[in-house]
Amino acid sequence: MDAFPDEVTVFEVGPRDGLQNQKKTLSVKTRIQFIDKLSAAGFKYIEAGSFVSSEKVPQMANTDQVLTGINRHRNCAYPVLTPNLQGLENALNAGATHIAIFGSASEQFCRKNINCSVAESMVRFRDILQAAKQHQLIVRAYLSCVMGCPYEGEVAANKTASLAEQLLTMGCYEISLGDTIGIGTPGQVTKLLRAVKAVLPVNKIAVHFHDTYGQALANIYTALMSGVAVIDASVAGLGGCPYAPGASGNIATEDIVYMLNGLGITTKIDLNTLLEASYFICRELNCSNQSKVAVARQSL
Amino acid sequence: MDAFPDEVTVFEVGPRDGLQNQKKTLSVKTRIQFIDKLSAAGFKYIEAGSFVSSEKVPQMANTDQVLTGINRHRNCAYPVLTPNLQGLENALNAGATHIAIFGSASEQFCRKNINCSVAESMVRFRDILQAAKQHQLIVRAYLSCVMGCPYEGEVAANKTASLAEQLLTMGCYEISLGDTIGIGTPGQVTKLLRAVKAVLPVNKIAVHFHDTYGQALANIYTALMSGVAVIDASVAGLGGCPYAPGASGNIATEDIVYMLNGLGITTKIDLNTLLEASYFICRELNCSNQSKVAVARQSL
């Protein structure tokens, strides 16, 4: 077991992973306001949107306008998800400096989600990474279903480790390991990270743990103990779980920041400013706040 | 850091700590059904009720009828809360074998909750413990506000440790350390348990961590790593927080059992039977289920 990191980067995914699963599609103006409020809280990374089909994901339509409309903070990057070369092109035109690609550690999930095998997806990613390199774009990779798959069940840790290594070799600066259906428990986190750390430096690893079974914070705490220092989270716990409708999805950023503050770990995120963004977006979406910290603070 | 315990006792407090904070007062019959369903899930301890003023806490009225009406399982104890000698007398008449007393590590919380100083409360407890000994009752003690107090803020770990030691010396078989307002984080848990373990064998310590700020499972995981093997929990997360209306209270039993199963730690609790009790009580109370496992399982 390693020492805790002194500083942790909380990677905010609410404006993309959170909003893309909402019933209500927000206006470009509201999405810009949301991101600007998050920027004010001090994040270093805010995932700003996704260049995907606006027919399939209307919530992410006009991400180019969002990206050009936000007030970019100097110390913050605003990555966008680009599933293909067309997405990359559009992201470039909107002034993106950071992009993200979305792979899977599960064969069946990969087929259902991006309609190709895992091996084929790696070929696609290679093309994207080559283009990204030409344009000096910084690329992050997600690997989903690292703790299990809604279609095929168990996913081997060494498969995740091997894919993570390939993505790093291709040029991704960081691999975010996703427990997409939130089924993992702390012992599994330790085993998975042991396998991934055998092939990847720990500072290349991020964790993206969902809270579907209430385990996310314990799992994240375990990841911190393994030396991981980048944690994905979604303000107000926005997102839900497409594989268990009504269940929880992303861990709430506020609850992680609260824990990190308690542990004396630096995040440079101001919790009160973050809570303002949280209350704002829940009002706009007319949804209940999934952050326990946000609810507790509001009720005091 | 100790090794994980091989076996953990999950101490179910739903029928007392959970129900006492509900708007709806259940019938004796429903409370009996609830406890019988929990017994079927395999618990070794189910807190069955409280011998307090039925004017102040109508939800706990007729606990004597509950205690005599339940189907007592041979391997399960059904402790009841007895704040004073009158309560102990009533508990005895209803056939109680296990009782619990409720103290506080915070001076101001003690005054507001039981209207005396901490020192005075210890004198009262001594009287209760003497009477309990005469009748061979087994006594558990709660210590509330061990991570902080809604009235006085910080509570010193060595104060908690000293009170825990006194309660053990008086004859309590176990001390349950309560984060009554759910504000603690894992680093604080480690520090607190270090202080308490300096004066108490770890097998005399239980933890009763609330989830008001979403930290409970990470805190419980930390307690497990410190060797604590008795965890209080409330099915469906029943309970709420009287100090932050609308906020979360008790950690849901299901979410703990799920984590312990994942860690390969024996509990002897059947999760599916537990979920039946969970869905039953939420229907009876007409309340939303606070267990993420229960919600996820229901939505699949």
Side-chain angles (χ1 to χ4, degrees):
Chain A
M1 201 160 286
D2 305 56
F4 280 130
D6 294 331
E7 185 165 346
V8 160
T9 299
V10 181
F11 191 108
E12 174 60 44
V13 300
R16 196 275 302 173
D17 200 21
L19 294 186
Q20 76 179 11
N21 278 318
Q22 297 297 320
K23 277 182 196 157
K24 188 171 170 183
T25 295
L26 298 179
S27 68
V28 165
K29 188 185 160 198
T30 305
R31 286 162 66 194
I32 291 171
Q33 281 182 297
F34 179 35
I35 294 171
D36 285 348
K37 284 176 190 291
L38 290 167
S39 293
F43 289 97
K44 278 179 286 193
Y45 295 91
I46 301 170
E47 207 171 44
S50 183
F51 285 93
V52 288
S53 154
S54 59
E55 276 169 36
K56 283 190 189 161
V57 192
Q59 298 92 334
M60 291 292 105
N62 306 312
T63 287
D64 54 339
Q65 294 174 30
V66 172
L67 209 52
T68 51
I70 55 173
N71 177 17
R72 289 176 181 240
H73 281 225
R74 211 169 35 145
N75 296 323
C76 184
Y78 301 88
V80 286
L81 199 67
T82 57
N84 48 41
L85 286 169
Q86 183 59 56
L88 181 142
E89 195 72 32
N90 296 341
L92 270 176
N93 290 337
T97 58
H98 291 63
I99 63 169
I101 57 178
F102 190 87
S104 172
S106 151
E107 201 61 48
Q108 286 188 47
F109 188 89
C110 192
R111 286 191 184 277
K112 298 225 182 197
N113 196 54
I114 55 177
N115 208 25
C116 67
S117 71
V118 169
E120 286 162 345
S121 74
M122 295 309 253
V123 175
R124 286 190 201 175
F125 295 150
R126 191 170 302 135
D127 293 344
I128 295 177
L129 278 152
Q130 278 173 354
K133 198 175 179 185
Q134 286 172 5
H135 298 283
Q136 294 174 299
L137 282 168
I138 295 166
V139 187
R140 185 182 212 230
Y142 289 100
L143 269 179
S144 60
C145 297
V146 300
M147 301 279 211
C149 168
Y151 310 115
E152 68 182 57
E154 216 172 308
V155 171
N158 60 9
K159 185 165 182 199
T160 298
S162 161
L163 292 169
E165 190 184 13
Q166 289 175 54
L167 288 163
L168 192 75
T169 308
M170 281 184 201
C172 295
Y173 84 98
E174 182 170 279
I175 319 297
S176 175
L177 305 173
D179 182 8
T180 311
I181 51 173
I183 58 164
T185 45
Q188 208 185 340
V189 173
T190 305
K191 277 182 208 153
L192 172 71
L193 289 174
R194 198 179 296 140
V196 179
K197 281 162 64 182
V199 294
L200 231 64
V202 71
N203 66 4
K204 298 293 178 187
I205 305 171
V207 292
H208 183 108
F209 291 161
H210 280 208
D211 202 34
T212 319
Y213 291 82
Q215 309 295 305
L217 212 67
N219 289 343
I220 289 166
Y221 182 64
T222 307
L224 292 172
M225 286 193 289
S226 294
V228 172
V230 183
I231 313 287
D232 294 4
S234 177
V235 63
L238 295 179
C241 179
Y243 309 98
S248 306
N250 286 292
I251 180 75
T253 315
E254 301 91 305
D255 298 6
I256 291 180
V257 170
Y258 182 94
M259 181 174 81
L260 294 168
N261 286 347
L263 289 166
I265 294 173
T266 302
T267 65
K268 303 215 171 109
I269 294 162
D270 182 73
L271 184 56
N272 290 329
T273 313
L274 174 59
L275 286 169
E276 285 172 32
S278 177
Y279 301 137
F280 166 81
I281 198 64
C282 289
R283 279 195 305 273
E284 291 294 331
L285 290 165
N286 195 23
C287 72
S288 63
N289 201 315
Q290 299 299 312
S291 158
K292 298 213 169 186
V293 169
V295 172
R297 282 286 178 88
Q298 207 162 25
S299 66
L300 286 179
Chain B
M1 201 161 285
D2 304 57
F4 279 131
D6 294 331
E7 184 166 346
V8 161
T9 299
V10 180
F11 191 107
E12 174 59 43
V13 300
R16 196 275 302 174
D17 200 20
L19 294 186
Q20 75 178 12
N21 278 318
Q22 298 297 320
K23 276 181 198 158
K24 188 172 171 182
T25 295
L26 298 179
S27 68
V28 165
K29 189 185 160 199
T30 304
R31 285 162 66 194
I32 290 171
Q33 281 182 296
F34 179 35
I35 293 171
D36 284 348
K37 284 176 189 292
L38 290 168
S39 292
F43 288 98
K44 278 179 285 194
Y45 295 92
I46 301 170
E47 206 171 44
S50 184
F51 286 94
V52 289
S53 154
S54 59
E55 276 170 37
K56 282 189 190 162
V57 192
Q59 299 93 333
M60 290 292 105
N62 306 312
T63 286
D64 55 339
Q65 294 174 29
V66 172
L67 210 53
T68 52
I70 55 173
N71 177 18
R72 287 177 182 242
H73 281 227
R74 211 170 36 146
N75 297 323
C76 184
Y78 300 88
V80 285
L81 199 67
T82 56
N84 48 41
L85 286 169
Q86 182 60 55
L88 180 142
E89 195 72 33
N90 296 342
L92 270 174
N93 290 338
T97 57
H98 290 63
I99 62 168
I101 56 177
F102 190 88
S104 172
S106 150
E107 201 60 49
Q108 285 189 46
F109 188 90
C110 193
R111 287 190 184 277
K112 298 224 182 197
N113 196 53
I114 55 176
N115 207 24
C116 66
S117 71
V118 168
E120 285 162 346
S121 75
M122 295 309 250
V123 175
R124 286 190 201 174
F125 295 150
R126 190 170 303 133
D127 294 342
I128 295 177
L129 278 152
Q130 277 173 354
K133 199 175 179 184
Q134 286 172 5
H135 298 282
Q136 294 173 300
L137 283 167
I138 295 166
V139 187
R140 185 182 213 232
Y142 290 100
L143 268 179
S144 60
C145 297
V146 300
M147 300 280 211
C149 167
Y151 310 115
E152 68 182 56
E154 216 172 307
V155 172
N158 60 10
K159 185 166 182 198
T160 298
S162 161
L163 293 169
E165 191 183 11
Q166 289 176 55
L167 288 162
L168 192 75
T169 308
M170 280 184 201
C172 295
Y173 84 97
E174 182 169 279
I175 320 296
S176 175
L177 304 173
D179 183 7
T180 311
I181 51 173
I183 58 163
T185 46
Q188 207 185 341
V189 173
T190 306
K191 277 183 208 153
L192 172 70
L193 290 173
R194 198 178 296 139
V196 180
K197 282 163 63 183
V199 293
L200 233 62
V202 72
N203 65 4
K204 299 292 178 188
I205 305 171
V207 291
H208 182 107
F209 290 160
H210 280 209
D211 202 34
T212 319
Y213 291 81
Q215 309 294 305
L217 212 69
N219 289 343
I220 289 166
Y221 182 64
T222 306
L224 292 171
M225 287 192 288
S226 294
V228 171
V230 184
I231 313 286
D232 295 4
S234 177
V235 63
L238 296 179
C241 179
Y243 309 99
S248 305
N250 286 292
I251 180 75
T253 315
E254 302 91 306
D255 298 5
I256 291 180
V257 170
Y258 182 95
M259 182 175 80
L260 293 168
N261 287 346
L263 289 166
I265 295 173
T266 303
T267 64
K268 303 212 172 111
I269 294 162
D270 182 73
L271 184 56
N272 290 329
T273 313
L274 174 59
L275 286 169
E276 286 171 32
S278 176
Y279 300 137
F280 166 81
I281 197 64
C282 289
R283 278 194 307 272
E284 291 294 332
L285 289 165
N286 194 23
C287 72
S288 63
N289 200 314
Q290 298 299 311
S291 158
K292 298 213 169 187
V293 169
V295 172
R297 283 286 178 88
Q298 209 163 24
S299 66
L300 285 180

